[in-house]
Short mmCIF file of all heavy atoms in Angstrom, two decimals:
data_model
loop_
_atom_site.label_atom_id
_atom_site.label_comp_id
_atom_site.label_asym_id
_atom_site.label_seq_id
_atom_site.Cartn_x
_atom_site.Cartn_y
_atom_site.Cartn_z
N THR A 1 36.24 -69.75 27.67
CA THR A 1 36.55 -68.60 28.47
C THR A 1 37.84 -68.80 29.29
O THR A 1 38.67 -67.88 29.54
CB THR A 1 35.41 -68.30 29.48
OG1 THR A 1 34.23 -68.06 28.73
CG2 THR A 1 35.69 -67.09 30.33
N THR A 2 38.09 -70.06 29.71
CA THR A 2 39.28 -70.38 30.53
C THR A 2 40.50 -69.87 29.72
O THR A 2 41.41 -69.21 30.28
CB THR A 2 39.32 -71.82 30.80
OG1 THR A 2 38.21 -72.21 31.53
CG2 THR A 2 40.57 -72.15 31.57
N LEU A 3 40.73 -70.45 28.52
CA LEU A 3 41.96 -70.09 27.71
C LEU A 3 41.97 -68.64 27.34
O LEU A 3 42.99 -68.01 27.22
CB LEU A 3 41.98 -70.99 26.55
CG LEU A 3 42.30 -72.49 26.92
CD1 LEU A 3 42.43 -73.25 25.63
CD2 LEU A 3 43.41 -72.65 27.84
N GLU A 4 40.71 -68.09 27.09
CA GLU A 4 40.73 -66.72 26.70
C GLU A 4 41.25 -65.80 27.84
O GLU A 4 42.06 -64.86 27.62
CB GLU A 4 39.30 -66.25 26.30
CG GLU A 4 38.81 -66.86 25.04
CD GLU A 4 37.33 -66.54 24.81
OE1 GLU A 4 36.71 -65.98 25.65
OE2 GLU A 4 36.88 -66.95 23.71
N VAL A 5 40.86 -66.14 29.03
CA VAL A 5 41.32 -65.39 30.20
C VAL A 5 42.80 -65.53 30.42
O VAL A 5 43.54 -64.60 30.64
CB VAL A 5 40.57 -65.77 31.50
CG1 VAL A 5 41.14 -65.11 32.72
CG2 VAL A 5 39.06 -65.37 31.34
N LEU A 6 43.30 -66.79 30.37
CA LEU A 6 44.73 -66.98 30.49
C LEU A 6 45.50 -66.28 29.47
O LEU A 6 46.54 -65.61 29.75
CB LEU A 6 45.05 -68.50 30.44
CG LEU A 6 44.56 -69.34 31.60
CD1 LEU A 6 44.86 -70.81 31.30
CD2 LEU A 6 45.24 -68.97 32.89
N SER A 7 45.07 -66.34 28.19
CA SER A 7 45.81 -65.65 27.16
C SER A 7 45.71 -64.17 27.30
O SER A 7 46.66 -63.46 27.00
CB SER A 7 45.27 -66.11 25.80
OG SER A 7 45.58 -67.49 25.57
N ASP A 8 44.60 -63.69 27.75
CA ASP A 8 44.45 -62.22 27.89
C ASP A 8 45.49 -61.64 28.94
O ASP A 8 45.99 -60.57 28.78
CB ASP A 8 43.05 -61.81 28.37
CG ASP A 8 42.01 -61.93 27.16
OD1 ASP A 8 42.50 -62.00 26.12
OD2 ASP A 8 40.83 -61.94 27.48
N LEU A 9 45.81 -62.54 29.88
CA LEU A 9 46.74 -62.12 30.93
C LEU A 9 48.16 -62.00 30.41
O LEU A 9 48.99 -61.40 30.97
CB LEU A 9 46.72 -63.09 32.12
CG LEU A 9 45.48 -62.91 32.98
CD1 LEU A 9 45.47 -64.09 34.02
CD2 LEU A 9 45.44 -61.57 33.72
N LEU A 10 48.33 -62.60 29.27
CA LEU A 10 49.73 -62.51 28.63
C LEU A 10 49.77 -61.43 27.48
O LEU A 10 50.76 -61.32 26.81
CB LEU A 10 50.11 -63.83 28.00
CG LEU A 10 50.45 -64.98 28.99
CD1 LEU A 10 50.86 -66.25 28.28
CD2 LEU A 10 51.67 -64.47 29.85
N LYS A 11 48.75 -60.62 27.38
CA LYS A 11 48.83 -59.48 26.44
C LYS A 11 49.69 -58.47 27.09
O LYS A 11 49.69 -58.18 28.28
CB LYS A 11 47.36 -58.97 26.22
CG LYS A 11 46.48 -59.85 25.40
CD LYS A 11 45.14 -59.25 25.10
CE LYS A 11 44.29 -60.18 24.25
NZ LYS A 11 42.91 -59.51 24.05
N ILE A 12 50.48 -57.76 26.19
CA ILE A 12 51.44 -56.81 26.66
C ILE A 12 50.76 -55.40 26.74
O ILE A 12 50.52 -54.80 25.73
CB ILE A 12 52.63 -56.71 25.74
CG1 ILE A 12 53.26 -58.14 25.62
CG2 ILE A 12 53.61 -55.74 26.18
CD1 ILE A 12 54.37 -58.25 24.63
N PRO A 13 50.50 -54.91 27.96
CA PRO A 13 49.94 -53.57 28.05
C PRO A 13 50.90 -52.46 27.72
O PRO A 13 52.01 -52.55 28.02
CB PRO A 13 49.49 -53.52 29.52
CG PRO A 13 50.44 -54.44 30.22
CD PRO A 13 50.77 -55.57 29.32
N THR A 14 50.36 -51.43 27.07
CA THR A 14 51.17 -50.30 26.71
C THR A 14 51.79 -49.66 27.94
O THR A 14 51.13 -49.41 28.95
CB THR A 14 50.39 -49.20 25.96
OG1 THR A 14 49.81 -49.83 24.82
CG2 THR A 14 51.24 -48.03 25.57
N GLY A 15 53.10 -49.37 27.87
CA GLY A 15 53.76 -48.69 28.99
C GLY A 15 54.35 -49.58 30.04
O GLY A 15 55.04 -49.12 30.95
N GLU A 16 54.06 -50.91 30.02
CA GLU A 16 54.64 -51.82 31.04
C GLU A 16 56.09 -52.07 30.87
O GLU A 16 56.75 -52.51 31.81
CB GLU A 16 53.81 -53.06 31.14
CG GLU A 16 54.27 -53.97 32.21
CD GLU A 16 53.19 -55.08 32.57
OE1 GLU A 16 52.03 -54.85 32.29
OE2 GLU A 16 53.58 -56.06 33.17
N PHE A 17 56.57 -51.93 29.63
CA PHE A 17 57.95 -52.28 29.39
C PHE A 17 58.67 -51.15 28.64
O PHE A 17 58.03 -50.64 27.73
CB PHE A 17 57.99 -53.57 28.51
CG PHE A 17 59.41 -53.90 28.12
CD1 PHE A 17 60.36 -54.30 29.00
CD2 PHE A 17 59.74 -53.85 26.73
CE1 PHE A 17 61.64 -54.71 28.59
CE2 PHE A 17 60.97 -54.17 26.32
CZ PHE A 17 61.94 -54.58 27.24
N ASP A 18 59.83 -50.72 29.02
CA ASP A 18 60.51 -49.64 28.44
C ASP A 18 61.87 -49.92 27.83
O ASP A 18 62.67 -49.04 27.67
CB ASP A 18 60.57 -48.41 29.35
CG ASP A 18 61.42 -48.79 30.66
OD1 ASP A 18 62.09 -49.86 30.60
OD2 ASP A 18 61.42 -47.96 31.56
N GLY A 19 62.13 -51.22 27.54
CA GLY A 19 63.35 -51.57 26.86
C GLY A 19 64.26 -52.47 27.55
O GLY A 19 63.98 -52.98 28.66
N SER A 20 65.45 -52.74 26.96
CA SER A 20 66.32 -53.76 27.45
C SER A 20 66.89 -53.45 28.85
O SER A 20 67.21 -54.34 29.59
CB SER A 20 67.45 -53.95 26.45
OG SER A 20 68.22 -52.84 26.25
N PHE A 21 67.09 -52.16 29.16
CA PHE A 21 67.67 -51.80 30.47
C PHE A 21 66.68 -52.28 31.58
O PHE A 21 67.13 -52.71 32.60
CB PHE A 21 67.90 -50.27 30.54
CG PHE A 21 69.08 -49.77 29.85
CD1 PHE A 21 68.97 -48.88 28.80
CD2 PHE A 21 70.26 -50.25 30.19
CE1 PHE A 21 70.12 -48.48 28.20
CE2 PHE A 21 71.50 -49.82 29.59
CZ PHE A 21 71.33 -48.89 28.60
N THR A 22 65.38 -52.20 31.35
CA THR A 22 64.47 -52.66 32.36
C THR A 22 64.59 -54.15 32.54
O THR A 22 64.64 -54.63 33.65
CB THR A 22 62.98 -52.32 31.99
OG1 THR A 22 62.88 -50.95 31.82
CG2 THR A 22 62.03 -52.81 32.95
N GLN A 23 64.70 -54.93 31.46
CA GLN A 23 64.90 -56.34 31.57
C GLN A 23 66.18 -56.68 32.29
O GLN A 23 66.25 -57.70 33.03
CB GLN A 23 64.78 -57.01 30.25
CG GLN A 23 63.40 -57.24 29.76
CD GLN A 23 63.40 -57.95 28.39
OE1 GLN A 23 64.12 -57.62 27.52
NE2 GLN A 23 62.48 -58.89 28.24
N MET A 24 67.21 -55.91 32.03
CA MET A 24 68.48 -56.17 32.72
C MET A 24 68.30 -56.05 34.22
O MET A 24 68.92 -56.77 35.03
CB MET A 24 69.53 -55.24 32.19
CG MET A 24 70.00 -55.56 30.76
SD MET A 24 71.03 -54.28 30.01
CE MET A 24 72.53 -54.55 30.96
N ASP A 25 67.58 -55.00 34.61
CA ASP A 25 67.31 -54.75 36.05
C ASP A 25 66.55 -55.93 36.67
O ASP A 25 66.82 -56.42 37.73
CB ASP A 25 66.59 -53.45 36.27
CG ASP A 25 67.46 -52.23 36.06
OD1 ASP A 25 68.72 -52.39 36.17
OD2 ASP A 25 66.90 -51.10 35.85
N TRP A 26 65.54 -56.42 35.91
CA TRP A 26 64.76 -57.52 36.41
C TRP A 26 65.63 -58.76 36.57
O TRP A 26 65.57 -59.48 37.56
CB TRP A 26 63.61 -57.87 35.48
CG TRP A 26 62.58 -56.78 35.35
CD1 TRP A 26 62.30 -55.75 36.13
CD2 TRP A 26 61.65 -56.63 34.25
NE1 TRP A 26 61.28 -54.97 35.75
CE2 TRP A 26 60.87 -55.50 34.52
CE3 TRP A 26 61.42 -57.36 33.06
CZ2 TRP A 26 59.84 -55.02 33.69
CZ3 TRP A 26 60.39 -56.95 32.20
CH2 TRP A 26 59.66 -55.79 32.56
N ALA A 27 66.47 -59.03 35.62
CA ALA A 27 67.42 -60.19 35.65
C ALA A 27 68.32 -60.02 36.82
O ALA A 27 68.54 -60.97 37.62
CB ALA A 27 68.18 -60.23 34.41
N ASP A 28 68.91 -58.88 37.05
CA ASP A 28 69.75 -58.64 38.20
C ASP A 28 69.09 -58.86 39.52
O ASP A 28 69.62 -59.44 40.46
CB ASP A 28 70.38 -57.23 38.16
CG ASP A 28 71.66 -57.21 37.28
OD1 ASP A 28 72.50 -58.14 37.39
OD2 ASP A 28 71.86 -56.21 36.62
N ASP A 29 67.78 -58.39 39.61
CA ASP A 29 66.99 -58.60 40.80
C ASP A 29 66.84 -60.09 41.04
O ASP A 29 66.98 -60.54 42.22
CB ASP A 29 65.65 -57.97 40.70
CG ASP A 29 65.65 -56.46 40.83
OD1 ASP A 29 66.70 -55.94 41.23
OD2 ASP A 29 64.66 -55.87 40.46
N GLU A 30 66.55 -60.89 40.04
CA GLU A 30 66.34 -62.29 40.19
C GLU A 30 67.61 -62.97 40.53
O GLU A 30 67.59 -63.97 41.32
CB GLU A 30 65.68 -62.89 38.95
CG GLU A 30 64.27 -62.52 38.71
CD GLU A 30 63.32 -62.82 39.89
OE1 GLU A 30 63.55 -63.88 40.54
OE2 GLU A 30 62.40 -62.01 40.13
N ILE A 31 68.74 -62.55 39.97
CA ILE A 31 70.04 -63.10 40.36
C ILE A 31 70.34 -62.88 41.83
O ILE A 31 70.77 -63.75 42.55
CB ILE A 31 71.12 -62.55 39.43
CG1 ILE A 31 70.99 -63.17 38.00
CG2 ILE A 31 72.52 -62.88 40.03
CD1 ILE A 31 71.95 -62.52 37.00
N ALA A 32 70.08 -61.66 42.26
CA ALA A 32 70.38 -61.30 43.68
C ALA A 32 69.45 -62.17 44.60
O ALA A 32 69.93 -62.65 45.64
CB ALA A 32 70.08 -59.80 43.85
N ALA A 33 68.25 -62.34 44.18
CA ALA A 33 67.25 -63.19 45.03
C ALA A 33 67.79 -64.60 45.06
O ALA A 33 67.72 -65.26 46.14
CB ALA A 33 65.86 -63.09 44.47
N ALA A 34 68.25 -65.12 43.92
CA ALA A 34 68.72 -66.55 43.87
C ALA A 34 69.94 -66.72 44.76
O ALA A 34 70.19 -67.67 45.35
CB ALA A 34 68.95 -66.90 42.38
N MET A 35 70.85 -65.67 44.67
CA MET A 35 72.04 -65.74 45.48
C MET A 35 71.73 -65.77 46.97
O MET A 35 72.42 -66.41 47.80
CB MET A 35 72.96 -64.52 45.21
CG MET A 35 73.56 -64.58 43.78
SD MET A 35 74.35 -62.97 43.28
CE MET A 35 75.72 -62.90 44.38
N HIS A 36 70.65 -65.15 47.38
CA HIS A 36 70.16 -65.19 48.73
C HIS A 36 69.61 -66.51 49.06
O HIS A 36 69.76 -67.04 50.19
CB HIS A 36 69.15 -64.11 49.01
CG HIS A 36 68.58 -64.00 50.44
ND1 HIS A 36 69.37 -63.52 51.41
CD2 HIS A 36 67.42 -64.43 50.88
CE1 HIS A 36 68.59 -63.62 52.57
NE2 HIS A 36 67.49 -64.17 52.26
N ARG A 37 68.91 -67.14 48.16
CA ARG A 37 68.26 -68.46 48.37
C ARG A 37 69.38 -69.56 48.46
O ARG A 37 69.18 -70.51 49.11
CB ARG A 37 67.31 -68.81 47.26
CG ARG A 37 66.02 -67.97 47.15
CD ARG A 37 64.94 -68.69 46.32
NE ARG A 37 65.30 -68.87 44.95
CZ ARG A 37 65.27 -67.99 44.01
NH1 ARG A 37 64.85 -66.81 44.27
NH2 ARG A 37 65.54 -68.30 42.75
N TYR A 38 70.40 -69.40 47.63
CA TYR A 38 71.40 -70.43 47.50
C TYR A 38 72.82 -69.82 47.75
O TYR A 38 73.63 -69.68 46.83
CB TYR A 38 71.38 -71.09 46.13
CG TYR A 38 70.07 -71.56 45.69
CD1 TYR A 38 69.28 -70.84 44.71
CD2 TYR A 38 69.49 -72.75 46.19
CE1 TYR A 38 68.07 -71.31 44.32
CE2 TYR A 38 68.21 -73.17 45.80
CZ TYR A 38 67.52 -72.44 44.83
OH TYR A 38 66.33 -72.84 44.49
N PRO A 39 73.09 -69.45 48.92
CA PRO A 39 74.41 -68.72 49.23
C PRO A 39 75.60 -69.51 48.85
O PRO A 39 76.64 -68.94 48.52
CB PRO A 39 74.28 -68.41 50.77
CG PRO A 39 73.29 -69.43 51.34
CD PRO A 39 72.33 -69.58 50.23
N ASP A 40 75.51 -70.86 48.88
CA ASP A 40 76.67 -71.72 48.53
C ASP A 40 77.00 -71.64 47.10
O ASP A 40 78.08 -71.97 46.65
CB ASP A 40 76.41 -73.16 48.94
CG ASP A 40 76.45 -73.35 50.44
OD1 ASP A 40 76.89 -72.45 51.16
OD2 ASP A 40 75.98 -74.42 50.92
N GLN A 41 75.96 -71.20 46.29
CA GLN A 41 76.16 -71.08 44.81
C GLN A 41 76.18 -69.66 44.34
O GLN A 41 76.01 -69.38 43.16
CB GLN A 41 75.07 -71.85 44.13
CG GLN A 41 74.95 -73.33 44.47
CD GLN A 41 76.20 -74.13 44.18
OE1 GLN A 41 77.01 -73.67 43.28
NE2 GLN A 41 76.45 -75.23 44.83
#
């Protein structure tokens, strides 16, 4: 059950992802957050 539950959490639900533009926005969000965490870099 342990691995079944973990793996189930990695199933891709319909409608959660709408293409490369969405991933680009996520990447930009994480870059902005990292720039805030590490202003010297």
Side-chain angles (χ1 to χ4, degrees):
T1 302
T2 299
L3 294 185
E4 290 174 356
V5 172
L6 289 175
S7 294
D8 284 346
L9 287 172
L10 286 179
K11 289 182 178 177
I12 303 173
T14 302
E16 183 162 339
F17 175 67
D18 61 9
S20 62
F21 281 120
T22 299
Q23 279 182 316
M24 290 171 70
D25 286 340
W26 296 340
D28 274 319
D29 285 347
E30 291 302 325
I31 288 172
M35 291 168 67
H36 181 74
R37 290 196 304 275
Y38 309 105
D40 291 344
Q41 303 298 339

